[in-house]
């Protein structure tokens, strides 16, 4: 048995909220990752089995390597289908906000969600949830929102309603938010849950291949370029930085998701415990930060890059040029010396 992490009163509130309505919208953060997709789709499958009318809406497109996920074909992309989405937000009776802690993580979709008359239920594992939901199922000690969805469904007494499609989505979110169970994944109960998902028919090896082994040759060449030409190591700070400009990305026919995971690679260098990846986007620099051990990647994201996240995996953005953003980072590095183990 797994322990009862989610408070009983929250279970009761969520159950009651679902029982009373039909039209339910499920949303996640901008640039949906595996956990955003996994948790929203898992909840969608569950709500379908209990005969609700759920819709998943995400602010921007998700990477194509999640296209195979059961239910992905029905996900509405806000920036492409604004009118339809606004109508659904207007009609919604209940909105689940998954895998983010503050409305700004929904980017241009935030206003529409906040303006909706529907009650909001947050289910998330980021620190410091903002106070915008009627019910907040917030457990930062849990390594993925998808795991929280599993726990929530079970605690509502509906383990038997988790079908294979739902289980595959839960597994995908658990796998991607832990880098294939290589970080943030020491909790024993993760593996008890995985055993249950496998019993339901999940082929975990197949899901790994579907997510991690479907990249283009261009992505691999871009990775090679980033590591060979662009990786900078700061041995005295146990840190690494990779920056990549929009022009460079163009040379490798960059598409969304192609740089996924690059930030983790420098952590495999002996003596590197903090890795940062900066990518020039159309209107900003997108920054990913990763650490191992106790170094607080999220603190650096918050202090320097208007962002946040978890201790070992965080993100943010910058509106300076790429060179200026790099300079800002290098100037600030000495300030974090005390956090090195
Ligand atoms: P990634 O580097 O994969 O984009 O993001 C890693 C984690 O950092 C995400 O799961 C999320 O918790 C956090 N994160 C990424 N970008 C942002 C951002 O712009 N703002 C905040 N607050 N958190 C972010
Ligand atoms: Mn997550």
């Amino acid at each position: 048995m797994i322990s009862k992490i989610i408070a009983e009163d929250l279970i009761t509130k969520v159950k009651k909220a679902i029982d009373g309505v039909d039209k339910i919208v499920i949303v996640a953060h901008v640039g949906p990752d595996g956990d955003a997709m996994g948790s929203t789709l898992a909840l969608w499958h569950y709500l379908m089995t209990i005969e609700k009318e759920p819709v998943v809406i995400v602010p921007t497109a998700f990477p194509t390597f999640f296209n195979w996920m059961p239910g992905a074909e029905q996900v509405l992309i806000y920036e492409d289908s604004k009118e339809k989405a606004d109508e659904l937000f207007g009609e919604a009776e209940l909105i689940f906000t998954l895998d983010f802690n503050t409305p700004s993580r929904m980017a241009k979709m935030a206003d529409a969600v906040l303006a909706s008359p529907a009650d909001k239920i947050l289910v998330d594992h980021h620190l410091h949830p903002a106070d915008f939901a009627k019910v907040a199922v917030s457990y930062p000690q849990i390594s993925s929102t998808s795991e929280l969805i599993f726990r929530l469904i079970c605690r509502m007494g509906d383990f038997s309603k988790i079908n294979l499609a739902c289980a595959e989505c839960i597994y995908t979110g658990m796998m991607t938010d832990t880098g294939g169970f290589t970080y943030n994944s020491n909790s024993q109960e993760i593996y008890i849950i995985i055993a249950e998902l496998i019993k339901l028919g999940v082929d975990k090896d197949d899901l790994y291949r579907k997510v991690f082994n479907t990249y283009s040759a261009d992505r691999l060449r871009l990775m090679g370029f980033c590591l060979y030409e662009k990786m900078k190591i700061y041995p005295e700070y146990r840190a690494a930085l990779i920056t990549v400009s929009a022009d460079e990305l163009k040379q490798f026919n960059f598409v969304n998701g192609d740089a996924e995971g690059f930030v983790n690679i420098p952590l495999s260098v002996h003596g590197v415990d903090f890795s940062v990846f900066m990518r020039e986007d159309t209107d900003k620099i997108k920054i990913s930060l990763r650490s191992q051990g106790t170094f607080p990647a999220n603190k650096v994201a918050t202090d320097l890059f208007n962002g946040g996240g978890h201790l070992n995996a965080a993100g943010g953005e910058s509106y300076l040029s790429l060179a200026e953003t790099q300079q800002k980072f290098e100037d600030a590095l000495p300030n974090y010396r005390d956090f090195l183990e």
Side-chain angles (χ1 to χ4, degrees), residues 33 105 126 260 286-290 306-310 313-317:
D33 58 8
R105 295 280 290 135
H126 294 90
E260 197 78 35
K286 182 73 193 110
I287 300 153
S288 286
L289 308 93
R290 298 290 186 274
N306 247 319
H310 314 277
E317 47 200 42

Side-chain angles (χ1 to χ4, degrees), residues 124-179:
D124 181 43
H125 67 138
H126 294 90
L127 293 166
H128 316 306
D131 185 19
F132 68 96
K134 188 173 179 197
V135 180
V137 182
S138 167
Y139 289 89
Q141 72 269 39
I142 299 297
S143 65
S144 63
T145 302
S146 299
E147 178 181 335
L148 273 174
I149 292 293
F150 177 87
R151 289 174 177 275
L152 189 61
I153 296 172
C154 291
R155 290 284 299 288
M156 292 192 297
D158 277 345
F159 172 76
S160 63
K161 305 268 169 58
I162 299 180
N163 57 23
L164 176 57
C166 182
E168 288 180 331
C169 295
I170 292 168
Y171 185 81
T172 301
M174 293 176 69
M175 173 179 75
T176 52
D177 254 25
T178 56

